[in-house]
Amino acid sequence: MPRITRLTANHRNAIRAHLLRLDGRGRFRRFTTPMPDRAITRYVDELDLDTGLFWG
């Protein structure tokens, strides 16, 4: 059974680390475009963890 967890600012570093570990293929599959490290960092910094819904 999937577990639902509310993400908070405390999770931001873990999210960033997870996405930065993805290889080029994984990044393309996740974002449907090549994503350099700086773009992933910006993406994570701009996530709205208070109202956003995330799957995955």
Side-chain angles (χ1 to χ4, degrees), residues 5-26:
T5 303
R6 180 174 298 276
L7 299 177
T8 67
N10 293 333
H11 294 99
R12 201 173 298 274
N13 287 336
I15 295 166
R16 182 181 299 105
H18 165 72
L19 293 175
L20 289 172
R21 279 193 304 270
L22 295 174
D23 63 12
R25 182 172 181 238

Side-chain angles (χ1 to χ4, degrees), residues 32-43:
T32 67
T33 188
M35 291 287 279
D37 289 355
R38 68 182 182 281
I40 288 176
T41 297
R42 184 173 44 246
Y43 169 80

